[in-house]
């Protein structure tokens, strides 16, 4: 039998709530685990606290998302490789499957010049996959700026492991199903969220946009995807009840199209 694909909840999906709330909600809704976005919440930076929460709620920690976002530039210092190495140490300590990173910003030229090689070297040294995420140009009106170096599309670079984000593909104007097929077995981790392909990175509840989320999930099943599908949905402006309903709906969508109709969080279960 093909092993089932775990469905996890990213802590970014409950922002501005904290990691403890994310673990509690993930257990209540029926998720299989949690992805940790390293952020100013100190729990997201502490292996002992994260391991205790995982044990308390009987959930896996599927990935550590390194603090490479624009708003996290000062977290864990200014040195980019130092951030990734601390994320690798954290992933090792909590037994996470991979570390998710974004490619460098274009103004981080020294970091960007050796990025592809640096990822490969650290992946070999730590023995933990570093899954580089697909990003997108920054667009305003009719113009676009390439904000990332060496580039936003991992199909153009020899990363051995990739995080595939459906919402990011939409913002880049790419077809999600084509991209995930092109990446093949390099896809280590998936961020599930929908979009209408606007200039904004939308991260909608899957099924509420017009992307090929269903087809991507069915493709993962058909190709025996060995990684984790992590819900990365924007709920920042939602009240608590609305957020929890949206994330329950997100899990039900994933369960349905991964063929997991009898598992916690599926419709009717």
């Amino acid at each position: 039998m093909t092993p089932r694909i775990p469905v996890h909840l990213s802590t970014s999906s409950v922002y501005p709530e904290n990691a403890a709330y994310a673990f509690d909600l993930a257990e209540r809704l029926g998720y299989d685990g949690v992805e940790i976005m390293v952020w100013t919440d100190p729990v997201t930076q502490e292996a002992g606290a994260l391991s205790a929460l995982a044990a308390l709620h009987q959930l896996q920690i599927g990935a550590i998302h390194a603090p490479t976002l624009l708003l996290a530039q000062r977290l864990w210092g200014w040195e980019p490789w130092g951030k990734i190495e601390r994320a690798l140490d954290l992933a090792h300590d909590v037994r996470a499957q991979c570390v998710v990173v974004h490619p460098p910003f274009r103004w981080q030229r020294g970091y960007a010049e050796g990025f592809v090689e640096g990822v490969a070297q650290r992946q070999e040294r730590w023995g933990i996959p570093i899954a580089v995420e697909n990003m997108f140009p920054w667009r305003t009106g009719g113009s676009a700026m390439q904000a990332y170096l060496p580039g936003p599309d991992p199909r153009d670079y020899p990363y051995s492991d990739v995080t595939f984000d459906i919402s990011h593909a939409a913002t880049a104007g790419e077809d999600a199903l084509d991209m995930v097929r092109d990446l093949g077995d390099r896809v280590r981790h998936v961020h599930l969220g929908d979009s209408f392909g606007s200039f904004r990175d939308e991260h909608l509840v899957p099924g509420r946009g017009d992307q090929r989320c269903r087809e991507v999930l069915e493709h993962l099943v058909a190709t025996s995807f060995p990684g984790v599908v992590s819900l990365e949905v924007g709920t920042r402006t939602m009240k608590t009840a609305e957020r929890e309903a949206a994330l329950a709906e997100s899990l039900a969508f994933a369960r349905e199209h991964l063929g997991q109709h009898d598992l916690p969080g599926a419709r009717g279960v």
Side-chain angles (χ1 to χ4, degrees), residues 59-112:
L59 295 170
Q60 302 172 337
I61 296 176
I64 299 296
H65 195 310
T68 51
L69 296 171
L70 185 62
L71 296 177
Q73 289 295 288
R74 297 169 63 183
L75 191 62
W76 283 356
W78 290 99
E79 209 285 301
W81 286 122
K83 296 174 187 285
I84 291 179
E85 290 170 1
R86 287 189 65 172
L88 285 162
D89 288 338
L90 183 60
H92 173 271
D93 291 344
V94 301
R95 300 181 181 181
Q97 185 188 69
C98 68
V99 168
V100 176
V101 303
H102 292 182
F105 293 110
R106 63 182 301 170
W107 56 83
Q108 296 175 304
R109 290 193 176 275
Y111 172 46

Side-chain angles (χ1 to χ4, degrees), residues 23 50 109 111 117 123 141 152 166 203:
F23 275 92
L50 292 172
R109 290 193 176 275
Y111 172 46
E117 297 79 6
Q123 183 160 302
I166 295 175
H203 288 282

Side-chain angles (χ1 to χ4, degrees), residues 161-183:
D161 295 277
V162 170
T163 294
F164 175 64
D165 187 299
I166 295 175
S167 181
H168 291 179
T171 306
E174 300 287 347
D175 181 279
L177 184 59
D178 288 345
M179 182 176 276
V180 77
R181 284 172 170 165
D182 290 346
L183 288 166

Side-chain angles (χ1 to χ4, degrees), residues 19-27 34 36 50 53-54 57 59-61:
Y21 171 79
F23 275 92
D24 176 71
L25 181 61
E27 182 188 16
V34 174
I36 305 300
L50 292 172
L53 283 169
H57 295 286
L59 295 170
Q60 302 172 337
I61 296 176

Side-chain angles (χ1 to χ4, degrees), residues 81-244:
W81 286 122
K83 296 174 187 285
I84 291 179
E85 290 170 1
R86 287 189 65 172
L88 285 162
D89 288 338
L90 183 60
H92 173 271
D93 291 344
V94 301
R95 300 181 181 181
Q97 185 188 69
C98 68
V99 168
V100 176
V101 303
H102 292 182
F105 293 110
R106 63 182 301 170
W107 56 83
Q108 296 175 304
R109 290 193 176 275
Y111 172 46
E113 286 171 2
F115 183 70
V116 175
E117 297 79 6
V119 164
Q121 291 165 4
R122 286 162 178 82
Q123 183 160 302
E124 182 177 5
R125 189 184 312 164
W126 267 263
I128 296 171
I130 301 173
V132 181
E133 191 165 355
N134 61 299
M135 298 303 290
F136 46 84
W138 291 359
R139 294 185 287 165
T140 56
S143 63
M145 180 184 81
Q146 289 295 346
Y148 300 96
L149 290 176
D153 190 333
R155 290 177 294 185
D156 298 333
Y157 305 97
Y159 307 120
S160 62
D161 295 277
V162 170
T163 294
F164 175 64
D165 187 299
I166 295 175
S167 181
H168 291 179
T171 306
E174 300 287 347
D175 181 279
L177 184 59
D178 288 345
M179 182 176 276
V180 77
R181 284 172 170 165
D182 290 346
L183 288 166
D185 61 7
R186 293 198 292 152
V187 178
R188 169 70 58 170
H189 193 71
V190 172
H191 283 162
L192 175 59
D194 214 333
S195 173
F196 287 106
S198 75
F199 291 180
R200 292 175 55 248
D201 181 21
E202 295 174 283
H203 288 282
L204 303 176
V205 170
R208 295 190 187 181
D210 62 6
Q211 301 307 299
R212 300 171 76 182
C213 297
R214 172 179 62 82
E215 291 91 339
V216 168
L217 295 178
E218 291 171 349
H219 169 78
L220 297 178
V221 174
T223 55
S224 302
F225 172 61
V228 167
V229 170
S230 182
L231 267 297
E232 198 174 75
V233 175
T235 68
R236 181 176 60 85
T237 62
M238 297 181 185
K239 296 185 183 298
T240 299
E242 183 185 4
R243 170 185 294 117
E244 298 192 1

